[in-house]
Amino acid sequence: MELKTVVTEESYNVSPGKIWEALTDKDKMKKWYFDLNEFKAEKGFEFSFAGKGHKGENYIHLCKVTEADVNKKLQYSWEYENFPGKSLVTFELTEEGSETRLKLTHSGLETFPQDNPDFAYESFKGGWTELLTKYLKEYLQNN
């Protein structure tokens, strides 16, 4: 089985703390990411959220925080209700002068059903790229 991992990096002209808040504050997350009922950047915290597929299918994402190092690293497992597979999402923050580099890694994509286009590498790559280069960037510039 070929390992499939999405890696996306983007730099923002803000502090690591501002990005950390965007990644961990549920009220801020819903402005650019997903609308979560609750979120805590604490190891062991479990959360879920709904998302839509390409044709409007509803998917329930099941996640559990595996690592939380304030202003540096956030990691959580990522699964889907009623589908096999388990992946890992990692956000890493690096301060570079007046900017902060955010590196997102989503590994384990090959464990999801490969006959479903919503679970294709290209779908995840496109989704994460849009989230980080468009929605998060706009949120950080306007808030």
Side-chain angles (χ1 to χ4, degrees):
M1 180 183 302
E2 179 187 350
L3 297 179
K4 294 185 180 177
T5 301
V6 167
V7 178
T8 301
E9 293 188 60
E10 188 69 24
S11 290
Y12 306 93
N13 197 22
V14 298
S15 68
K18 185 154 183 177
I19 296 174
W20 182 260
E21 286 180 6
L23 294 174
T24 62
D25 180 308
K26 72 177 182 72
D27 294 326
K28 293 176 178 156
M29 292 167 82
K30 74 178 172 186
K31 293 179 180 176
W32 72 274
Y33 190 50
F34 290 99
D35 189 1
L36 308 180
N37 290 330
E38 192 60 51
F39 184 84
K40 292 181 182 162
E42 298 171 2
K43 187 175 180 176
F45 182 79
E46 295 184 27
F47 63 101
S48 63
F49 59 93
K52 294 226 180 267
H54 291 92
K55 296 178 182 171
E57 306 88 340
N58 288 313
Y59 294 104
I60 302 299
H61 301 69
L62 306 172
C63 304
K64 183 176 183 178
V65 176
T66 56
E67 192 173 340
D69 186 0
V70 178
N71 295 342
K72 292 185 176 152
K73 185 176 183 180
L74 176 66
Q75 182 179 74
Y76 45 82
S77 61
W78 173 295
E79 301 177 54
Y80 293 95
E81 186 174 77
N82 300 320
F83 289 93
K86 183 174 184 176
S87 63
L88 201 59
V89 173
T90 307
F91 296 93
E92 296 172 282
L93 302 171
T94 307
E95 199 165 4
E96 297 177 337
S98 63
E99 293 191 329
T100 302
R101 176 166 286 283
L102 172 60
K103 178 181 179 183
L104 170 121
T105 306
H106 193 167
S107 60
L109 302 178
E110 70 281 353
T111 67
F112 296 126
Q114 295 301 294
D115 59 348
N116 183 332
D118 288 332
F119 299 142
Y121 170 86
E122 293 77 17
S123 177
F124 285 104
K125 179 73 173 169
W128 285 119
T129 299
E130 185 173 40
L131 280 168
L132 298 186
T133 63
K134 182 179 179 188
Y135 296 117
L136 179 58
K137 189 168 275 229
E138 288 174 3
Y139 168 79
L140 292 170
Q141 288 172 347
N142 298 321
N143 290 280

